């Protein structure tokens, strides 16, 4: 009985229910904090950081758009995933791992495979992270950036 209770407590510590925000969700999963926000029906911003650190409040130097408000996002929370859908995109977040998958109607677009953070401890980037991010790709598919 103690083993079952311990497993349940560990599972609950790993999976945190998502809190809905305007056209998005915030949750903790897989040791990370996530904020997923639809900026438009076709644009989704995903922010992640280690769970042990606060989500950076620093404004992005590359994301200058503010989220539009004249569209709807359906948010469905299941036992293992949160699914967010606009008229153009569906984003599925695995509640255990925190990995994200993007799809358009009838077509998978991109699926995360793994993500890792290594905090910089010196230099001008002290306190920022080296991020390792991998995706599941088709054999003939390449991504750049």
């Amino acid at each position: 009985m103690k083993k079952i209770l311990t497993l349940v407590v560990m599972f609950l510590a790993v999976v945190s229910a998502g809190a809905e925000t305007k056209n998005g969700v915030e949750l903790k999963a897989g040791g990370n904090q996530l904020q997923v926000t639809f900026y438009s029906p076709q644009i989704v911003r995903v922010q992640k950081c280690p769970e042990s650190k606060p989500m950076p409040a620093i404004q992005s130097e590359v994301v200058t758009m503010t989220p539009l408000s004249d569209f709807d996002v359906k948010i469905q929370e299941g036992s293992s995933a949160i699914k967010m859908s606009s008229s153009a995109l569906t984003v599925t977040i695995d509640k255990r791992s925190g990995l994200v998958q993007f799809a358009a109607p009838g077509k998978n677009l991109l699926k995360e495979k793994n993500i890792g953070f290594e905090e910089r401890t010196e230099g001008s980037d002290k306190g920022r992270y080296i991020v390792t991010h991998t995706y599941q790709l088709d054999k003939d598919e390449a991504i750049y950036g």
Side-chain angles (χ1 to χ4, degrees), residues 30 32 48 92 94 96-102 110-116 132-139 143:
N32 297 313
K48 292 186 178 186
T92 304
D94 184 293
R96 184 175 202 143
S97 66
L99 297 178
V100 180
Q101 180 175 349
F102 302 88
L110 186 66
K111 184 175 183 179
E112 288 182 312
K113 188 175 180 180
N114 194 14
I115 186 166
T132 304
H133 212 161
T134 56
Y135 301 92
Q136 289 183 349
L137 303 173
D138 292 335
K139 288 182 181 182
I143 56 174

Side-chain angles (χ1 to χ4, degrees), residues 16 26 30-31 34 46-47 61 66 68 72-74 79-80 88 114 116 123 136-137 139-141:
S16 177
E26 295 178 350
L34 292 86
V46 178
Q47 295 174 269
E61 296 170 4
T66 56
L68 302 176
D72 292 320
V73 175
K74 286 171 74 175
S79 60
S80 62
N114 194 14
Q136 289 183 349
L137 303 173
K139 288 182 181 182
D140 62 342
E141 185 177 17

